Every structure is written in structure tokens, then in C-alpha cells.
Amino acid sequence: MSIKTSLLLLIFLPVSVYAQTPQQRVRQYRQAQETALMDEYREFLAIPNVSADSVNIRKNAAFILQMMKKRGISGTLLDGPTLGSTPAVFGEVRVPGAKKTLVFYAHYDGQPVNPKQWGEGLQPFVPVFITAPVEQGGKIVTTYKSGDPIDPNWRLSGRGSADDKAGVMTILNAYDALVKSNIPITANLKFFFEGEEEVGSTHLGEIFEKHRDKLASDLWIIADGPRHVSGKPVVQFGVRGDVNMHLTLYGPKRPLHSGNYGNWAPNPAMRMVKLLASMKDDNDHVVIKGFYDDVVPLTASERDAMAKVPNMEAALKKELGIAQPDGNGTSFVELLMRPTLNINGMQSANVGAMAGNIIPTKAEAVLDLRLVRGNEVTRQVGRVIDHIRAQGYHVLDHEPTDAERQQFPKLIKITTGHGYNAQRTPMDLPVAQGVVAAVQAVSPEPIVLSPSSGGSLPLYMFEKVLKANVVSVPVVNYDNNQHAENENVKVQYLWEGIEIMASIMLIK
Amino acid sequence: MSIKTSLLLLIFLPVSVYAQTPQQRVRQYRQAQETALMDEYREFLAIPNVSADSVNIRKNAAFILQMMKKRGISGTLLDGPTLGSTPAVFGEVRVPGAKKTLVFYAHYDGQPVNPKQWGEGLQPFVPVFITAPVEQGGKIVTTYKSGDPIDPNWRLSGRGSADDKAGVMTILNAYDALVKSNIPITANLKFFFEGEEEVGSTHLGEIFEKHRDKLASDLWIIADGPRHVSGKPVVQFGVRGDVNMHLTLYGPKRPLHSGNYGNWAPNPAMRMVKLLASMKDDNDHVVIKGFYDDVVPLTASERDAMAKVPNMEAALKKELGIAQPDGNGTSFVELLMRPTLNINGMQSANVGAMAGNIIPTKAEAVLDLRLVRGNEVTRQVGRVIDHIRAQGYHVLDHEPTDAERQQFPKLIKITTGHGYNAQRTPMDLPVAQGVVAAVQAVSPEPIVLSPSSGGSLPLYMFEKVLKANVVSVPVVNYDNNQHAENENVKVQYLWEGIEIMASIMLIK
């Protein structure tokens, strides 16, 4: 042993053996287990998890039960009364003498995928490491095999890698790290992993009602959504609500030659652009009557927290290639506190090499309405429908019949997804402040406190059915492409997520 | 032989043996040959013919040369000077003492296809008989095998079945029927089958210039487009011009979660609908500055012919499921004499089950501008681009660079197809009137004369380069879904097309 090596040992030995904080011990456990943790996570991500794919969804639930079993957590499936609905996976750890009961939430289902839109070599359900996001030139680490060192700056690519199997992964491994490191847990812990979040949590209310007693708690901790754009951890006290609307406009019953019928046959794509364009003014302000009427103003403490959120707009504009954001000068943080009307997608016939000179038979668009405190799903959707009617449309919930086509010049089919309202938890709630302290304890920099995420979760249902308190503690990188192609999670954020969740589990 | 049978023979024998008109003899030949004609046509349709598919396009050309050879026509390929362009197939029959030279034109390439959009069991390049159009509940005649009787009301399904391999089929079989029936041909006949019509006849001018002498004629007869909606044969004296524009608008560089960025990140789909909506008013009138300025007014004889065109609007509205056509009350026939701005297709991200709650990275649209006499391609396209610039867009011909994204709030990529101007032949031209008489001679009802088709062909090039006269004599059914899925041709129209083309070949 050289003198140099001895000196190194002198420096590092104390850290790894003596006077370790729980965070250090959790980290040490993870460092020793990286290969095993990542092998299991990749196996989990390889199970397709599109919400509508009920066969594979149940395979995901079974996999989580197996993960719990391996960690000594007694797990079970919680069904609602509706037959065929997707069960939540539930687990529980009771601690004698515990004063607090915490429920950790994540969801294991994912958004729909169009594999063709993914980057070269990437497939939604073949998790692989990439050196960086595809959009920044990241390449697949083709040489990686289980057991190799894992660069914490790599991303793991795959649907659900960030949204939201990462929640399941970090929560269960945080618990495991505490147990394996002999760190005493002082709160009762419950685990609740939902399987229908990406389709609007259709049966969550039913499950809550049926299992109300089992789900009693002091606080729910939601591990979903991204950390702040600055990279800092964030505790969120609310979420926006959300509801989708699917619009279909009808043209001629068969596609028509655009020369032989052009100027005469109504073009549903042109009607769609007129209709959608009528919903916003040139300052991106929604002009649908009453759209902003119900919004409850922000409180002083919410405004105060917002003022402390790091301003990332310049960096975001650069990264995303945006010269001028929407919102007419209003700050990013404030814009997220307003209701939205977003076009998720639209299509009529074909573009590019597949385009023909035709008048299409139909035009489709999907809208996404985000709701804030005060908004109510049915009322907000109703305003959009009223606006559409005011543009002269006869609204259907089915494909038009021949008789309806003859009767009404302007026909639209509207179907509305299962939506939910916004939710906010008061920022001064003591148990929530406990979470703030726990997350801050493992973060070298000041964490971000946000009155509401821009994103959505059906948290209003937690309040309404369970009378529960809820805060969100996201663990994944903001640039994770969630809901889209090339979804990915940064490895280092998974590691830090385990530390964050473990710290919260030590609340007394 | 019964008395009844003898009587039948007395009635029918004279028709089939004595004093037959050329039309009757052509029909008799066709009736005897239906299986062979249809077998060969189905073989032709089975060769994929999307214009850009150069390998298969050349197989089509080779097939046509073979068809000519079988009919005793010396055929050859006419190339332009541009390497790699698609050749036209040319054939010629010289008749000693002939006073007129007629060139018969059709095109053998077809529009792009998206096989997924075709009806159940139908494939674009697997020609099959269907009992009726798919949209009217037609079913595949699964029992049909070569040699079975062919119901003339059936449709033959497949890309190119109507647009425009039907032109090649009817022209070459008309010639064959005349020869095999020993009917003397009195005009020099030329055959010209183009392979790039559906991509804007990119090299047609070159081919014309290179082979100007070989293509000298008194009249070109264009067998393309549909017969009149009433089902009557039509002679058309002109066509609209056509040009495509492909528009791409840019949003964030990567797809964004619509909650985490909604209200802040510009949505390219919303910008696209605003942009396209700005091009027309609520009466479907194009509001782009100068869009209608160049239009040459109709002549008195053109207006006169238009007044005699059967009004099919009520039937069309019923068939197509349209309660109220565009055009603010202007007649169908007159609307086809005006320039158009049509949305062929548009897309941004996904709709339906594939839609995610995202802000898309781009929105695409394809426009189709039809031009009338007086319009000029570059000028008309320039007006659209000027309009787009006036909406605040910086126009690119490439994907935006990072620097351009930082500099310009509104970016659009515009690529313009190879377009062409409109063409019209004077309605009183004697040789054109000869065609009118020939088509009328084989039609039991008055045929329709149209100053201009709504559709397009690069006929202005025939005038400009060859100083040629041109009329169009379409042979296929109007409800053929040309340019779209489920393209089909009615069998009876192929049979009648052979008679029509044969009649024209007998012009003296």
C-alpha cells in the first residue's frame, strides 16, 4: 500500500463507515446495487403500459406486486366496483407507535405511443441507455450490458421511463434502501400505484370510495411530473385539472378530386381551421365566452412562492428554439396558473409524399383543456361546445347519418374524455411543511415550492372522496418528452429520487 | 329448333351480320373479347404506378410497349434530356393518304396511396371487382375467376383503374377493335402515354421540345378525368392549371407536456389554423390580395355551353351528404371556372387513440391551387407567400436552424410543387368539332360540352411548345375516387370508352 493510497483511505473511510447520515447510507446502498436496480427497472419498462392495453396493464400490476414481495411489502390489487376497470396496486407497512401515515402515489400506465415517431433505433418498450436526449444528438449506448458501469448522465429511453414508472421505481427502492441499511422507519407507509391515470383516472373515485378506510392517511405524496426546469427538486401544492375533447368535422362522404369539385364541395379541413382559429385571438387569449370567469385568484402566499421560483425562460427559449413565447409578456409561472386550450393534434387526409389533390372527407382535432382552481370540467367543456354551436355547428355524439347530413350544413362530432378538476393544498399545512423539510434535507441547493404544477393529476378526487391532504414531489428531469416520442429519464435523477423518497419516509 | 328460337334469330341475326355500324362492330368485338381485355387490364393495374416509384413506373412503360406490340403498333420510349426522368410511351400508325393526324394521350402514373385507408380487403395494386363503390356498400366479388361473365355494373378497384390507366386501355383497345373488325382507319394515329402527370408533368415540356417533329398533329385527344356527373360523355375544351404548396410551421424543438408548458410554448397547430383561416372569409372567398385579379372573363360561347351543362347539384348534394355547398350560391359549373385554394391535407402530432396531451413540434399542411385562364403559377404562388409574410412569418425553404429559431418568432417552411397554367381551346375549332360529332355519334343522349374541366392537366404546354390543339374526352365514371382511397372504374364505362375512342379514330 503506498502512502498515497493510505491517505485516500484516511479521507474516505470515515465517510463510508462512521457517522453517516441516512442520505449517505441510502446512497451507499444504491451505489452497490446499481446494476440490480437498473436491470429490474428495464424489465419493468419492457412491459407495454398504454392505458387501453388491459392485458399488458395487468402484467405491469403483477410485476409491481412482485417488486413489493421481494422487498417484504405485503401487496394487493385494489379494484373498484366497475367490472373490467384497471386495479391499483396497494401495499402497506405498519410501524408500531407511528404518529403519521403517509401514502406514496405513482401511476404505472402510460400515454399512447406511435412507434414510428421515435428516434432511429428507439422503440417505446425496448428500454435502452442513450448518451443524451435524441433532440440533442444523443446516441444509443450499444455497448452496454448488464453489470457495466452506468453513467449517471445517460438517459434511459422508453415509454413510462419518466412518466410514471419512475415513481414506482424510486418509492419502492427508497423503502428497500432504508430497510437494507437498517434505518428505522417511524411512519406508517402505504403505497398506491394507479393504472388509469393517463386516461383520466376513470375509476379512481370508485376505488377510493370502496377502500376509504384502507387509504386513510395524514398526507399523500405524489411522485409524478418533472422536477423544476432549473433541475432543482420541487414540492408542488396543487395541480391543474384536465379534460380532452375530440372534434370531428365532416366534408363529402367520399374523398373528392380537388379539381373536379374545388370551390363547391365544403372542405372539412378549412372548416376545422376556421373553427379552431375562432377560439383564440392573436395574443393567444382564449375568446370563448366565460372561459376565464371561474378562476379563483392566487393567494398572497401563493404569489410569494411564485416570486421565488427561478426564472428559466431565457434558457428554455434557447433550448426549445422559441424566439417569442405565447402569453403576451406574462411570466411562465403565472401562465401555468391559468386555464388552457391546447391543440394536442389534428389531422385531415395526408401531408407530405402521401398527400393527394383531394377534398378530404373529415378533419379531426384533439383539444386539451387544463383547468385551474374554480374551473369545473362540465362547465368548461360546455363553454367550448356553446362556442362551437355559435359558429353554426350542429353537435353530434356519433357519425352523422344521411338524414343529418341533408339537414345540417355544419356538422361536428364531439366526444369528451373523462376529465377532472384542479386541486390545491394550503402551503402552510404542517405535514406538508414536513415534506418540504425532508426534500430540502437531501438537496444541496434551495428547493422550489410551487403553488400548482402546470400538469394535471386527479388530486381533487383525493380531497373530495378521501378528505386527504396531497403534495407532489416529482423526481424526473423536465426534458423527459413525457406523453410524446423519445420519452426518457436521466439516470442521476432516479438515484436522487430514491434519496428524496427515503428522506420523506423518515418524517416523524 | 323451336319456332320461338327461330323468331329470335330472325330478330337478332340482321343486327350482328348485316349493315352494321362501326360502333356495332367494335361492340361485337369487345363482347367476344371481354375476358381477354379484362385479364390484360388487371395485369396492368397490378403493377404499382405511384409517380415517384421509378422502378415500377418503368415496368408500367414496358407493359404498355408490350400491349402496343401485340396490337401491331410500333412503340418506343420518348425521353427528355434530363437524366433519370420518366419516359413517355409513344406509338404511331401511319395511314397513306390521311388528311388528319390525331394524337391520343393518357398517363400511366398514379397518385400516392396510403393502403391503410382503403376499404376492407381492398389493396391499391390488387385489382378486384366490387359490386358497387365501397362507400355505397359495395362488396368484393370473391367468386370471380377469369372467364366468368363480367357484370358491366361492377367496378374494378385499384389505383390507376380510373386515373388514368383507363385511358391507355380504351385507346389501345379501340384501335385493336377497328383493326380486328376490318374497319378502315383514315387518319394518322399517334399514341402518347405520359408517366409523370401526377407529379406535375415535370419533364413533359422537355420531351415535347426534343421530339417536336415526331409529335406534330392536328389535334390531341386527352383521355383523362371523369365523364360528366350526369353520366353523359363530355368533350372538354380546357383545363384548370394546378400547383401544390407544402407548408410546415414550427413549435418547440421537442414535443412538450401540454400541462407543464401550456399557455407559454407556442403551439404550431394553433398557428397553422390561424394562418390557413386567414386565407378565406366566411363565404369561402379567398381573401389573399390579388388572388382573383388575373382571371380572364368567360366568352359568350363558353357561357352558352355552360348554360347547357346539366345541373346535377341536387343529386350530388344527396350522394355526397352535403347540405350546403360552398360558393355562396354560385353554380357548380361557374365555380369550376374560378381559381381555388384547397387544403389537401394537414397534420400535427396525432388524433384519436394516438393523441397525447402535448404541444406538437410542427404542423404541416398541403395546399392545392387550381388556376384558370389568366393565372400564372409563379404569380399565384407568390401571392400566397406574400400573404403568409403579411401574417408575420419568416419564410424558409429548409428546416429552421437554431439561429433562425432564435431570430424569428414565426417561421414557416414552404416548398412548392412543379405546377402549370390553365389551358383553353376555342370551342369553334373545326377539328375539335369533328371530335364532338364523333363522340355524339356513339352516344344515345346529347353529350355535354364543357369550356373547361375543373381538373388539371399540363395542356398549356401542348399549346406553348407544340402549338397544338387539344380537347379532352374523359371515359371514366365521375365517382371513381381518383387521387384517393378506393379508386375504381365502372366496367361499362370502359366498354363505352372503347367505342368512343374508336369513333374518334375514324375522323377523316
Side-chain angles (χ1 to χ4, degrees):
Chain A
M1 193 181 280
S2 71
I3 292 173
K4 205 167 167 191
T5 312
S6 305
L7 278 172
L8 279 172
L9 279 178
L10 274 175
I11 294 166
F12 286 105
L13 262 179
V15 176
S16 58
V17 178
Y18 303 109
Q20 287 183 318
T21 64
Q23 179 188 11
Q24 287 164 336
R25 288 159 71 188
V26 165
R27 184 174 298 178
Q28 200 171 37
Y29 167 81
R30 179 264 298 172
Q31 285 166 337
Q33 296 294 324
E34 282 185 2
T35 293
L37 294 177
M38 210 49 100
D39 282 356
E40 182 190 55
Y41 193 43
R42 289 190 298 148
E43 202 181 329
F44 187 20
L45 294 182
I47 311 172
N49 73 333
V50 176
S51 316
D53 176 3
S54 59
V55 172
N56 278 310
I57 279 292
R58 281 172 186 266
K59 286 185 191 163
N60 280 280
F63 191 90
I64 297 172
L65 281 176
Q66 190 60 31
M67 288 175 77
M68 287 182 171
K69 196 173 171 190
K70 276 163 63 181
R71 289 159 177 81
I73 302 167
S74 69
T76 183
L77 298 182
L78 299 190
D79 263 308
T82 298
L83 291 176
S85 64
T86 301
V89 185
F90 177 75
E92 187 168 8
V93 175
R94 287 176 187 272
V95 175
K99 290 181 187 142
K100 292 273 188 298
T101 298
L102 306 174
V103 194
F104 288 82
Y105 167 100
H107 65 89
Y108 61 90
D109 64 323
Q111 283 267 320
V113 276
N114 186 345
K116 285 187 202 161
Q117 294 171 336
W118 286 56
E120 199 182 329
L122 294 181
Q123 294 176 51
F125 300 111
V126 181
V128 291
F129 289 111
I130 48 178
T131 55
V134 174
E135 296 75 12
Q136 294 168 31
K139 301 288 172 210
I140 296 174
V141 186
T142 51
T143 57
Y144 177 81
K145 58 183 191 306
S146 172
D148 287 352
I150 299 165
D151 186 330
N153 287 313
W154 288 350
R155 312 287 177 113
L156 183 59
S157 156
R159 171 59 85 236
S161 61
D163 182 22
D164 179 37
K165 288 183 176 179
V168 180
M169 190 272 194
T170 52
I171 289 167
L172 292 183
N173 287 323
Y175 174 74
D176 209 24
L178 292 173
V179 172
K180 298 283 166 55
S181 308
N182 295 312
I183 301 169
I185 292 165
T186 47
N188 292 317
L189 303 182
K190 296 179 180 179
F191 306 97
F192 184 95
F193 301 125
E194 192 193 355
E196 296 186 320
E197 196 275 335
E198 297 293 4
V199 284
S201 297
T202 327
H203 304 95
L204 190 62
E206 285 185 357
I207 294 174
F208 281 177
E209 292 193 10
K210 188 168 164 186
H211 307 282
R212 200 188 305 263
D213 295 343
K214 196 171 269 179
L215 297 172
S217 76
D218 294 284
L219 185 70
W220 283 67
I221 295 101
I222 309 293
D224 194 13
R227 281 163 57 161
H228 188 255
V229 176
S230 63
K232 294 178 180 173
V234 59
V235 177
Q236 283 160 348
F237 290 79
V239 286
R240 290 201 274 199
D242 192 28
V243 62
N244 286 135
M245 299 180 72
H246 296 254
L247 315 181
T248 309
L249 286 187
Y250 298 92
K253 284 173 76 174
R254 57 183 173 83
L256 297 178
H257 187 290
S258 64
N260 296 331
Y261 295 89
N263 277 351
W264 184 83
N267 185 317
M270 182 51 79
R271 288 196 169 171
M272 182 62 89
V273 303
K274 285 271 178 195
L275 178 62
L276 296 176
S278 74
M279 296 180 182
K280 284 194 171 184
D281 68 16
D282 291 338
N283 286 324
D284 321 305
H285 194 77
V286 179
V287 294
I288 292 170
K289 204 175 160 190
F291 197 81
Y292 300 100
D293 280 2
D294 299 331
V295 178
V296 172
L298 295 163
T299 65
S301 58
E302 287 172 338
R303 288 220 160 265
D304 187 49
M306 280 167 56
K308 290 179 187 152
V309 174
N311 184 338
M312 299 301 296
E313 293 197 45
L316 272 182
K317 282 163 66 176
K318 182 147 188 241
E319 185 214 324
L320 298 171
I322 294 170
Q324 178 63 52
D326 282 359
N328 210 17
T330 306
S331 77
F332 184 100
V333 186
E334 180 141 4
L335 289 168
L336 296 194
M337 302 293 153
R338 295 182 183 173
T340 73
L341 185 150
N342 181 62
I343 301 175
N344 282 351
M346 61 180 186
Q347 180 155 25
S348 184
N350 297 303
V351 296
M354 300 282 263
N357 287 332
I358 59 153
I359 298 165
T361 56
K362 64 179 180 178
E364 292 171 273
V366 180
L367 300 182
D368 171 39
L369 310 183
R370 300 279 167 176
L371 312 179
V372 300
R373 196 164 47 176
N375 289 146
E376 197 279 318
V377 169
T378 314
R379 200 162 57 222
Q380 197 76 339
V381 167
R383 285 178 173 136
V384 178
I385 294 176
D386 286 348
H387 176 86
I388 291 171
R389 287 209 173 96
Q391 313 305 307
Y393 283 92
H394 181 73
V395 176
L396 303 171
D397 62 359
H398 54 270
E399 297 280 310
T401 63
D402 284 354
E404 285 161 343
R405 281 178 166 278
Q406 293 305 319
Q407 187 179 355
F408 302 103
K410 293 167 98 178
L411 285 169
I412 188 168
K413 181 176 81 171
I414 303 180
T415 58
T416 303
H418 188 92
Y420 46 80
N421 294 343
Q423 179 273 339
R424 284 198 218 147
T425 295
M427 295 190 78
D428 49 5
L429 190 77
V431 67
Q433 284 298 322
V435 171
V436 171
V439 178
Q440 186 61 71
V442 296
S443 306
E445 289 182 287
I447 67 169
V448 176
L449 304 184
S450 164
S452 172
S453 154
S456 302
L457 279 171
L459 300 189
Y460 88 101
M461 206 134 33
F462 295 63
E463 279 186 357
K464 190 177 151 199
V465 183
L466 299 176
K467 316 291 177 209
N469 298 307
V470 192
V471 296
S472 293
V473 184
V475 296
V476 304
N477 41 297
Y478 80 100
D479 57 349
N480 64 48
N481 283 22
Q482 69 187 91
H483 292 198
E485 60 271 23
N486 306 332
E487 180 177 348
N488 69 83
V489 65
K490 191 171 176 179
V491 170
Q492 178 62 25
Y493 280 43
L494 290 175
W495 302 153
E496 293 178 14
I498 293 172
E499 294 176 15
I500 289 170
M501 290 299 149
S503 184
I504 297 171
M505 289 176 191
L506 297 176
I507 291 178
K508 283 175 185 157
Chain B
M1 190 181 284
S2 70
I3 291 175
K4 205 168 168 190
T5 314
S6 304
L7 278 172
L8 278 172
L9 278 178
L10 275 174
I11 295 166
F12 286 106
L13 261 179
V15 176
S16 58
V17 176
Y18 303 109
Q20 288 183 316
T21 64
Q23 180 189 10
Q24 287 164 336
R25 288 159 71 187
V26 165
R27 182 173 299 178
Q28 199 170 36
Y29 168 81
R30 180 264 298 170
Q31 285 168 337
Q33 297 294 322
E34 283 186 2
T35 293
L37 294 177
M38 209 50 97
D39 282 357
E40 182 191 54
Y41 193 43
R42 289 190 300 148
E43 202 182 328
F44 187 20
L45 294 182
I47 311 170
N49 74 333
V50 175
S51 317
D53 176 4
S54 60
V55 172
N56 277 310
I57 278 292
R58 281 172 185 265
K59 286 186 190 163
N60 280 281
F63 191 90
I64 298 173
L65 282 175
Q66 191 61 32
M67 286 175 77
M68 288 181 170
K69 196 174 170 190
K70 275 163 65 181
R71 288 158 177 80
I73 302 166
S74 69
T76 183
L77 297 182
L78 298 190
D79 263 308
T82 298
L83 292 176
S85 64
T86 301
V89 185
F90 178 75
E92 188 167 8
V93 174
R94 289 179 186 271
V95 174
K99 290 180 186 145
K100 291 274 188 297
T101 299
L102 307 175
V103 194
F104 289 82
Y105 167 101
H107 65 87
Y108 61 90
D109 63 323
Q111 282 267 320
V113 275
N114 185 345
K116 285 186 202 161
Q117 295 171 337
W118 287 55
E120 199 182 329
L122 294 181
Q123 294 177 52
F125 299 112
V126 181
V128 290
F129 288 112
I130 48 178
T131 55
V134 174
E135 295 76 12
Q136 294 168 31
K139 301 288 172 212
I140 297 173
V141 186
T142 52
T143 56
Y144 177 81
K145 58 184 192 305
S146 172
D148 287 351
I150 299 165
D151 186 331
N153 288 313
W154 286 350
R155 313 287 178 112
L156 183 59
S157 156
R159 171 59 84 234
S161 61
D163 182 22
D164 178 37
K165 288 183 176 178
V168 180
M169 190 274 194
T170 52
I171 289 166
L172 291 182
N173 287 322
Y175 174 74
D176 209 24
L178 292 172
V179 172
K180 299 281 165 57
S181 308
N182 295 312
I183 301 169
I185 292 166
T186 47
N188 292 317
L189 304 182
K190 296 178 181 179
F191 307 97
F192 185 95
F193 302 125
E194 194 192 354
E196 296 186 320
E197 196 275 335
E198 297 292 4
V199 283
S201 296
T202 328
H203 303 95
L204 189 64
E206 285 185 358
I207 294 174
F208 281 177
E209 291 193 12
K210 188 167 164 188
H211 306 283
R212 200 189 304 262
D213 295 342
K214 194 171 272 180
L215 296 173
S217 75
D218 294 285
L219 185 69
W220 285 67
I221 295 102
I222 310 293
D224 194 14
R227 281 162 57 160
H228 189 256
V229 176
S230 63
K232 293 177 180 174
V234 59
V235 178
Q236 282 160 348
F237 291 80
V239 287
R240 290 201 274 200
D242 192 29
V243 62
N244 286 134
M245 299 179 73
H246 295 254
L247 315 181
T248 309
L249 286 187
Y250 299 92
K253 283 173 76 174
R254 58 182 171 85
L256 297 178
H257 188 289
S258 64
N260 295 333
Y261 296 90
N263 277 351
W264 183 83
N267 185 316
M270 181 51 78
R271 288 196 169 172
M272 181 62 90
V273 303
K274 284 270 177 197
L275 178 62
L276 296 176
S278 75
M279 296 181 182
K280 285 194 170 182
D281 68 16
D282 291 338
N283 287 323
D284 322 304
H285 194 78
V286 179
V287 293
I288 292 169
K289 202 175 162 189
F291 197 80
Y292 299 100
D293 280 3
D294 299 331
V295 177
V296 173
L298 295 163
T299 65
S301 58
E302 287 171 338
R303 288 218 160 267
D304 187 48
M306 278 166 57
K308 290 179 188 154
V309 174
N311 184 339
M312 298 302 296
E313 293 198 45
L316 272 183
K317 282 163 66 176
K318 181 146 187 241
E319 184 214 326
L320 299 172
I322 294 170
Q324 178 63 50
D326 281 0
N328 210 15
T330 306
S331 77
F332 184 101
V333 185
E334 179 140 4
L335 288 169
L336 296 194
M337 303 293 154
R338 295 183 183 171
T340 73
L341 184 150
N342 182 63
I343 302 175
N344 282 351
M346 61 180 187
Q347 179 154 25
S348 184
N350 297 302
V351 295
M354 301 281 263
N357 287 332
I358 59 154
I359 297 165
T361 57
K362 65 178 179 178
E364 293 172 271
V366 181
L367 300 181
D368 171 40
L369 311 182
R370 301 278 167 177
L371 312 179
V372 300
R373 196 166 45 177
N375 289 145
E376 197 277 319
V377 168
T378 314
R379 201 161 55 222
Q380 197 75 339
V381 167
R383 286 177 172 136
V384 178
I385 294 176
D386 287 348
H387 175 85
I388 291 171
R389 286 210 174 96
Q391 313 304 308
Y393 282 93
H394 180 72
V395 176
L396 303 171
D397 62 0
H398 55 269
E399 297 279 310
T401 64
D402 284 354
E404 285 161 343
R405 281 178 166 276
Q406 293 304 319
Q407 189 179 354
F408 303 103
K410 292 167 99 178
L411 286 169
I412 189 169
K413 182 177 80 171
I414 302 179
T415 57
T416 303
H418 189 91
Y420 47 80
N421 294 344
Q423 180 273 340
R424 286 200 217 144
T425 295
M427 294 190 78
D428 50 4
L429 190 77
V431 66
Q433 285 297 325
V435 170
V436 171
V439 178
Q440 186 61 71
V442 296
S443 305
E445 290 181 287
I447 67 169
V448 176
L449 303 183
S450 164
S452 172
S453 154
S456 301
L457 280 170
L459 300 189
Y460 88 102
M461 206 131 37
F462 295 62
E463 280 187 356
K464 190 176 149 199
V465 183
L466 299 175
K467 316 289 176 210
N469 298 308
V470 191
V471 295
S472 292
V473 183
V475 295
V476 302
N477 41 298
Y478 79 101
D479 57 350
N480 64 48
N481 283 22
Q482 68 187 90
H483 292 199
E485 59 270 24
N486 305 332
E487 180 176 347
N488 69 84
V489 65
K490 191 171 176 178
V491 170
Q492 178 62 23
Y493 280 44
L494 289 175
W495 302 153
E496 293 178 14
I498 293 172
E499 294 176 16
I500 289 170
M501 289 299 150
S503 184
I504 297 171
M505 288 176 190
L506 297 177
I507 290 178
K508 283 175 186 157

